[in-house]
Amino acid sequence: MSDQQRAACVIGYPAKHSRSPKLHGYWIKHYNIDGDYRAEEISPDDIADFIGSLASKGYVGANITMPHKDIAFELSEPDQRATAVGAANTLWLDAGKLRSTNTDVEGFIGALDASSPGWDARTNAAIVLGAGGAGRAVVYGLIERGIGKIHVVNRTLEKAQAMRDRFGNSVQPATWDELPELLKGAKLLANATSLGMHGHEPLNVDVSALADDAVVSDIVYVPLTTPLLAAARARGLDTSNGLDMLLHQAVRGFELWFGTRPKVTKELYDLLAADIEAS
Ligand code: ATR
């Protein structure tokens, strides 16, 4: 390690499963940067101390994953996106001050822009499944892009209602029973639940009622092609998956830590996709 080398890490509990070291490691090599990116498995008991001593541990910043996004938010100076979503997934030291943002917002939006250019001009109403932390980032991204009506479907209706309290009346809480009616002619459907993920319950949604120019997005990336995305593709609809989101959310952190804005390329997608498929 040279004096100039910059290091960042992903902090989680667990952290070993994270794909971020492979992803950032690829960019470090590709852009010939004197940098390092590691995984740090830190327990809830130790997380506050760890975040408080990032600089002395030699880090210029970090990604934050489960279950530490709330405490990372509390212990840092959040930007507008982290404040709006109420969670932080990216930290960086700015002249000694620890700042944070939530790049899941631009991850979701960046993946949509790449897979379905012009989607926002076509979409008047969107359907988001899920009202957890990922759902909040997805909904905030849609609001930032001017989508005026967002149906938030959630098992626990109170959480969808809390989302309306947070973001205003463009959020329309709904139950799963209402979904078949909402799907008719809809232009954007985003799954922000864990349903359909390997080892979780399946997600049963009939995409046949969606508009012919609809786009379907899924935050799940194991498997890469969820049954929801397979059905959407079979209909010829544009789709973006959880790996697209993961790659696009990583761009800003890399830029903040290492000073180069990296590109999401097919080569990088294929590298990570092979890793996921092998697991
Ligand atoms: P994250 O921060 O990744 O979004 P989360 O806060 O635990 O994780 O949210 C998970 C989302 O998946 C929630 O919307 C959850 O619905 P509830 O709010 O009702 O819990 C949804 N979810 C998880 N398992 C589900 C299931 N079996 N059926 C319906 N929704 C489910």
Side-chain angles (χ1 to χ4, degrees):
M1 181 167 159
S2 68
D3 287 350
Q4 288 81 36
Q5 190 183 63
R6 300 182 137 232
C9 59
V10 53
I11 308 171
Y13 192 70
K16 291 188 181 70
H17 67 289
S18 172
R19 261 88 195 185
S20 293
K22 196 169 204 95
L23 157 53
H24 288 284
Y26 170 90
W27 279 332
I28 286 170
K29 199 158 168 244
H30 183 82
Y31 293 105
N32 205 13
I33 283 166
D34 187 9
D36 193 21
Y37 186 102
R38 300 187 276 270
E40 293 276 13
E41 189 157 297
I42 308 296
S43 75
D45 285 346
D46 298 328
I47 187 67
D49 282 349
F50 192 91
I51 288 178
S53 57
L54 270 186
S56 64
K57 290 189 160 49
Y59 288 119
V60 294
N63 280 131
I64 307 292
T65 185
M66 299 290 281
H68 300 318
K69 289 185 186 183
D70 293 346
I71 191 157
F73 177 74
E74 283 162 28
L75 295 177
S76 60
E77 194 127 323
D79 73 353
Q80 205 221 338
R81 279 185 175 157
T83 304
V85 175
N89 75 342
T90 301
L91 300 175
W92 75 101
L93 283 158
D94 175 16
K97 189 179 282 251
L98 188 62
R99 297 191 186 276
S100 66
T101 186
N102 189 312
T103 64
D104 287 337
V105 177
E106 67 227 60
F108 169 71
I109 295 296
L112 277 183
D113 283 342
S115 61
S116 191
W119 64 273
D120 47 342
R122 295 194 300 274
T123 304
N124 46 7
I127 303 169
V128 175
L129 309 176
R136 290 202 304 275
V138 164
V139 166
Y140 187 64
L142 293 171
I143 289 171
E144 272 195 345
R145 288 297 277 268
I147 305 303
K149 195 189 277 188
I150 305 160
H151 301 285
V152 176
V153 176
N154 203 50
R155 175 178 60 181
T156 313
L157 190 61
E158 293 76 25
K159 279 167 73 180
Q161 287 163 339
M163 197 108 94
R164 181 182 53 199
D165 295 343
R166 175 179 281 271
F167 294 128
N169 286 336
S170 54
V171 172
Q172 310 219 336
T175 64
W176 283 89
D177 289 346
E178 294 171 76
L179 182 59
E181 195 57 35
L182 295 174
L183 288 168
K184 289 180 186 166
K187 303 257 189 170
L188 192 153
L189 172 66
N191 175 40
T193 73
S194 47
L195 298 174
M197 191 188 298
H198 184 72
H200 291 243
E201 286 178 47
L203 172 60
N204 296 313
V205 175
D206 180 3
V207 298
S208 62
L210 290 170
D212 288 339
D213 58 350
V215 53
V216 178
S217 164
D218 200 330
I219 62 158
V220 171
Y221 65 85
V222 184
L224 284 169
T225 304
T226 59
L228 174 71
L229 294 182
R233 280 185 206 158
R235 261 207 65 192
L237 305 180
D238 289 341
T239 61
S240 68
N241 68 13
L243 178 55
D244 294 318
M245 257 188 87
L246 178 75
L247 299 178
H248 285 278
Q249 73 75 31
V251 169
R252 178 111 199 278
F254 190 91
E255 184 180 22
L256 286 164
W257 308 319
F258 301 117
T260 296
R261 189 166 178 85
K263 285 208 162 32
V264 174
T265 59
K266 182 167 184 313
E267 185 179 78
L268 175 59
Y269 180 96
D270 289 345
L271 180 79
L272 273 287
D275 194 53
I276 290 167
E277 271 158 3
S279 63

